[in-house]
Amino acid sequence: EVQLLQSGAEVKKPGESLRISCKTSGYIFTNYWVGWVRQMPGKGLEWMGIVYPRDSDTRYSPSFQGQVTISADKSITTAYLEWSSVKASDSGIYYCARQTLVRENFYYYYFMDVWGKGTTVTVSS
Amino acid sequence: EVVLTQSPGTLSLSPGARATLSCRASQSISNTYLTWYQHKPGQAPRVLIYGASSRATGIPDRFSGSGSGTDFTLTISRLEPEDFAVYYCQHYNSSLLFTFGPGTKVEI
């Protein structure tokens, strides 16, 4: 069974560093992109970026480029989302998800098929 | 960059009713790159439709997707109590940059 297990809730003060994790199992980690999605309180889903664990290729939404770092450790099949200095506006729920590739009739489709349960991040002074 | 607009913002319906959700892109996009997700409070999102019209594994056939160009639709033929949720369309491009629409809330 494919599973993505996210690290627990975090409470941080502005300016602190933070790294949350997404431990995967049940599939070949290096064959799939892993992505991160934010949901701020009372708001919609925002796609942040993805990482390809095989070669650490990363793609970021322009909204998050330079604001966070997405990475992966093949040796422990874990993806990470990291901030060097959090702000109050970083508070929210962060989901990781496997980005699967489906090939049908000569077409290729990417979508997030398996998700973690989310990590709640609270940044407050 | 493609911007997605969803309408209505909120859809108030009763169980058994038909729900029609719209997703409009700021420019013409390939059907290949349009996905629909369902998100319930306290749960992880779930993929419903990929490639604009293909149901993901395990998704009931009351969910269907259609459309092309700039206008896409998610239809729920007969609402079940568990279908009340927020629905998002998502677009991606050939560089694997993704974006979600703002969502449509389907409420009782």
Side-chain angles (χ1 to χ4, degrees), chain B residues 31-92:
Chain B
N31 287 17
T32 304
Y33 299 148
L34 197 286
T35 309
W36 288 93
Y37 294 87
Q38 177 192 65
H39 191 204
K40 299 179 185 178
Q43 297 186 20
R46 176 172 75 147
V47 61
L48 299 175
I49 302 286
Y50 62 89
S53 60
S54 296
R55 268 187 301 277
T57 301
I59 300 304
D61 61 7
R62 64 180 181 273
F63 291 93
S64 63
S66 63
S68 64
T70 60
D71 293 309
F72 298 86
T73 300
L74 175 70
T75 301
I76 311 170
S77 58
R78 292 175 311 281
L79 282 165
E80 297 287 342
E82 62 268 26
D83 298 337
F84 292 91
V86 182
Y87 293 84
Y88 297 90
C89 57
Q90 185 196 52
H91 169 261
Y92 66 97

Side-chain angles (χ1 to χ4, degrees), chain A residues 69-95:
Chain A
T69 301
I70 295 171
S71 62
D73 186 335
K74 290 185 288 190
S75 67
I76 54 173
T77 66
T78 299
Y80 299 98
L81 177 63
E82 187 170 7
W83 294 259
S84 59
S85 176
V86 295
K87 305 182 289 289
S89 57
D90 293 320
S91 296
I93 301 173
Y94 292 84
Y95 296 98

